[in-house]
Amino acid sequence: MDPVASPVTLTTIARPRLQVLDTPGLPLIPVPMQNQDVESFYPLSPLQQGLLFHSLSEPDSGMYFNQTAMELRGDLNEDALRAAWQQAVDEHPILRTFFVWEGVESPVQVVRKKAQMSLVVVDWSDRDETQQATALDALRREDLHKGFDLSKAPLVRATLIQRSTDTWCLFWSFHHILMDGWSMFRVLDQVFGAYDALCRGETYSPEPSRPYRDHIVWLNQQSLPAAETFWTRNLAGFSAPTALISEPGELQKDHGEDGFTAEVLHLDGAASAALQEFAAKQHITLNTLLQGAWALVLSRYSGEEDVLFGAVVSGRPAALEGVEAVVGLFINTLPMRVHAPQSEQVLTWLQRVQAEQAELREYDYSPLVEIQGWSEVPRKDSLFRSIFLFENYKKDAPLEQLCQSLEIGEVQWFERHNFPLAAVAIPGKEFMLRIIYQTDMYSSQTIARMLGHWKNLLEGMVAHPDRTLGELAMVTETERQQLLVDWNQTASEYPREACVHHLFEEHAALNPDAVALVLGDERLSYGELN
């Protein structure tokens, strides 16, 4: 019998209100239950455990709270949209899941048989555009402050805002402990698919997908000793996180209460097409190309040829049949160590980075907290200070094609990462480079420069794959103009017949108390130096 496909059985044992999960491939787990509205329950994935810990230890931080605002245009049917959302909740167990951490040896996630999706409808059509934007920002802050009680399901809710006769905003939020970006688009795809069918008076029957529990079973079958061997070898000799420059900016309160915001840089169609063509011709994945350029940015900024950053991986094991359709939290953040010798050829280097990424994927189930312990970086330090995300799911699920009955307009994403800096690469007809950053650690000018440097190195690798890494130019044309021309105009008129020491004595006589030399805390005036 396939242990992954085997049903969950619940066995009541001696103590009242205490049940035991008995799932092939998973350990027995005693769990106190308050009612019998339970479909199944099972352990958390390592990443879920981390998110639960941080959410409970910092309940007001807004950490791992995902919010999305989508503009919808057309003759919207409120009842059909409400029913479509509920159908998605009924279909996917993870959307009916809550968490238990008190009174148990280890936290568990519990799936309810039924959970009611909250969809509130409000009318803002009597407000002008500015008032609506202000109200949406207030709604987002209020929703963030409200947060989620992780002990109650569902951990997802939505508000439908009418902005005019045929314009709406769908604002919805969920806790990241439930699902990742790929799953979020799966849910949206199903919601709008069901909505279209209901508007036509038809029944929507999505293809059945496996429950998230099957992934937990698969995780429990993986070998931690093998992972420990790999990561110990991979991180050997790396004892401190890669340093990044910090030019603190002011906390930008208008960007939300959490002090995070983002800067974006778009590549034009020609540059984006060149990246696609280069990757296809050289058999390099776009992920490798974009991540490689980011590694070079970190190398140049830190002055180190050996850098370490976090790479967000999909975490969906190919061995688990049908895993692409499962809704849940699969992603994992793993340390990506990249050696970038100045003398290595660009193409050869990219091929090596890709091979290292492939080896890493064999152990992408590894819990980050365990990896930290296997490394030489002290527990008190973070293993890395920046992360890289390659968001390719938007290519597979273009938003404008999700709904036939409504037109989907502007979409706003509000998210916060548990790192001061996150580099996000989004492919498409026009590639988008995005950096989410902590505003009291980095200024907008610093991040804008960093985006320009990332773009320059990326385009330089594509244009000159036969050059060495050290030959690639990072600075932009504007910066080059400043460095070589604008800031280098130091010519000054002075008496050509005079000697330099005579000119110095003359200046010292006129300004004897002016500071001439500085060394640490020591100062010498012109008079003293003379």
Side-chain angles (χ1 to χ4, degrees):
M1 180 180 293
D2 180 2
V4 175
S6 299
V8 172
T9 59
L10 296 175
T11 306
T12 302
I13 62 176
R15 287 186 291 176
R17 299 184 182 276
L18 188 66
Q19 296 177 312
V20 174
L21 170 68
D22 184 9
T23 303
L26 293 176
L28 295 178
I29 306 175
V31 181
M33 302 305 299
Q34 298 179 354
N35 57 62
Q36 299 301 314
D37 180 28
V38 173
E39 179 177 296
S40 64
F41 53 98
Y42 40 87
L44 281 63
S45 71
L47 182 56
Q48 284 181 311
Q49 292 178 25
L51 266 58
L52 176 65
F53 172 79
H54 287 294
S55 297
L56 294 177
S57 60
E58 300 180 72
D60 300 323
S61 67
M63 199 80 72
Y64 311 118
F65 196 94
N66 291 65
Q67 298 171 309
T68 303
M70 305 178 64
E71 184 182 29
L72 303 175
R73 305 188 192 98
D75 185 14
L76 190 144
N77 185 325
E78 297 176 22
D79 292 336
L81 185 61
R82 189 186 307 276
W85 267 109
Q86 187 60 49
Q87 183 172 342
V89 172
D90 295 341
E91 175 71 20
H92 299 289
I94 196 68
L95 299 181
R96 291 178 272 115
T97 295
F98 65 94
F99 298 82
V100 176
W101 58 90
E102 294 181 340
V104 292
E105 184 176 343
S106 297
V108 293
Q109 48 192 322
V110 182
V111 181
R112 293 181 57 185
K113 293 178 181 177
K114 293 185 179 296
Q116 187 66 40
M117 169 70 184
S118 173
L119 177 63
V120 177
V121 181
V122 297
D123 187 352
W124 292 353
S125 57
D126 60 340
R127 307 180 187 185
D128 61 31
E129 188 172 336
T130 301
Q131 291 172 326
Q132 289 181 0
T134 302
L136 180 61
D137 190 49
L139 173 64
R140 187 184 79 83
R141 291 197 301 269
E142 180 183 348
D143 182 60
L144 182 66
H145 180 72
K146 181 180 179 181
F148 282 108
D149 182 349
L150 296 179
S151 66
K152 297 179 182 179
L155 299 174
V156 56
R157 57 176 174 258
T159 301
L160 181 62
I161 305 161
Q162 183 167 9
R163 305 186 67 171
S164 69
T165 304
D166 60 351
T167 306
W168 306 72
C169 175
L170 177 62
F171 179 85
W172 71 295
S173 52
F174 65 91
H175 198 286
H176 193 29
I177 198 170
L178 293 186
M179 55 185 169
D180 50 31
W182 183 282
S183 296
M184 180 185 70
F185 273 81
R186 293 286 303 176
V187 170
L188 283 176
D189 186 40
Q190 177 163 341
V191 167
F192 286 117
Y195 175 82
D196 284 337
L198 289 167
C199 287
R200 296 191 300 266
E202 302 173 359
T203 300
Y204 179 72
S205 300
E207 293 185 12
S209 60
R210 307 179 74 150
Y212 183 62
R213 171 180 60 85
D214 290 357
H215 174 59
I216 301 298
V217 174
W218 180 87
L219 280 175
N220 197 62
Q221 297 169 344
Q222 305 313 301
S223 171
L224 276 184
E228 180 178 1
T229 299
F230 169 77
W231 289 111
T232 301
R233 172 174 52 85
N234 181 274
L235 299 175
F238 209 100
S239 58
T242 298
L244 286 175
I245 63 166
S246 178
E247 295 182 9
E250 295 182 358
L251 191 61
Q252 300 176 34
K253 296 180 180 180
D254 57 327
H255 288 289
E257 299 175 347
D258 54 8
F260 276 76
T261 189
E263 296 287 337
V264 176
L265 188 153
H266 292 272
L267 275 64
D268 60 30
S272 301
L275 298 185
Q276 302 261 20
E277 293 170 5
F278 174 82
K281 179 180 179 181
Q282 303 297 343
H283 305 290
I284 297 293
T285 66
L286 286 172
N287 182 33
T288 297
L289 185 58
L290 290 154
Q291 190 177 118
W294 177 249
L296 284 184
V297 171
L298 296 185
S299 178
R300 297 287 180 90
Y301 272 58
S302 66
E304 302 288 341
E305 291 189 350
D306 188 9
V307 298
L308 187 70
F309 57 95
V312 178
V313 296
S314 72
R316 292 178 181 257
L320 194 59
E321 185 178 354
V323 71
E324 295 83 3
V326 181
V327 174
L329 183 65
F330 287 85
I331 62 168
N332 198 3
T333 303
L334 301 174
M336 184 67 193
R337 184 178 187 177
V338 177
H339 297 269
Q342 296 290 293
S343 59
E344 190 166 3
Q345 186 194 49
V346 169
L347 183 56
T348 303
W349 178 73
L350 285 172
Q351 292 168 339
R352 178 169 60 79
V353 170
Q354 181 157 290
E356 291 170 352
Q357 288 178 341
E359 185 180 15
L360 180 146
R361 281 196 294 271
E362 296 180 24
Y363 304 94
D364 62 8
Y365 59 84
S366 308
L368 183 57
V369 66
E370 297 289 350
I371 298 175
Q372 171 94 35
W374 298 330
S375 77
E376 298 172 20
V377 177
R379 282 283 189 185
K380 62 180 180 66
D381 295 329
S382 175
L383 196 55
F384 37 78
R385 294 174 179 167
S386 70
I387 59 174
F388 172 87
L389 301 88
F390 179 69
E391 293 189 352
N392 64 336
Y393 47 78
K394 295 180 182 179
K395 176 183 176 183
D396 298 319
L399 284 172
E400 64 272 11
Q401 297 179 16
L402 289 181
C403 189
Q404 303 303 316
S405 305
L406 298 168
E407 179 185 348
I408 298 178
E410 181 184 4
V411 179
Q412 299 180 65
W413 315 94
F414 306 100
E415 56 189 331
R416 174 181 174 177
H417 298 279
N418 190 29
F419 297 94
L421 193 149
V424 185
I426 305 173
K429 291 183 179 179
E430 291 190 353
F431 279 54
M432 184 169 75
L433 306 180
R434 184 169 180 244
I435 294 182
I436 305 168
Y437 64 99
Q438 196 168 332
T439 56
D440 59 352
M441 291 189 66
Y442 298 98
S443 68
S444 59
Q445 294 84 359
T446 297
I447 299 301
R449 282 198 304 271
M450 193 176 290
L451 281 168
H453 296 159
W454 187 8
K455 173 179 177 289
N456 272 20
L457 288 170
L458 186 61
E459 294 179 343
M461 290 193 298
V462 170
H464 308 288
D466 55 337
R467 290 186 179 178
T468 64
L469 297 179
E471 292 174 329
L472 294 178
M474 183 178 75
V475 297
T476 64
E477 285 299 326
T478 300
E479 290 172 324
R480 187 175 288 106
Q481 171 73 18
Q482 288 179 327
L483 291 171
L484 301 181
V485 180
D486 298 346
W487 293 348
N488 201 35
Q489 297 188 26
T490 57
S492 177
E493 288 300 323
Y494 63 93
R496 300 292 174 174
E497 68 281 0
C499 296
V500 172
H501 63 288
H502 291 156
L503 294 174
F504 180 85
E505 289 175 337
E506 182 180 331
H507 185 81
L510 293 173
N511 304 280
D513 297 325
V515 176
L517 288 181
V518 177
L519 177 61
D521 294 332
E522 295 184 49
R523 301 285 191 277
L524 278 182
S525 68
Y526 274 92
E528 292 169 330
L529 182 59
N530 188 43

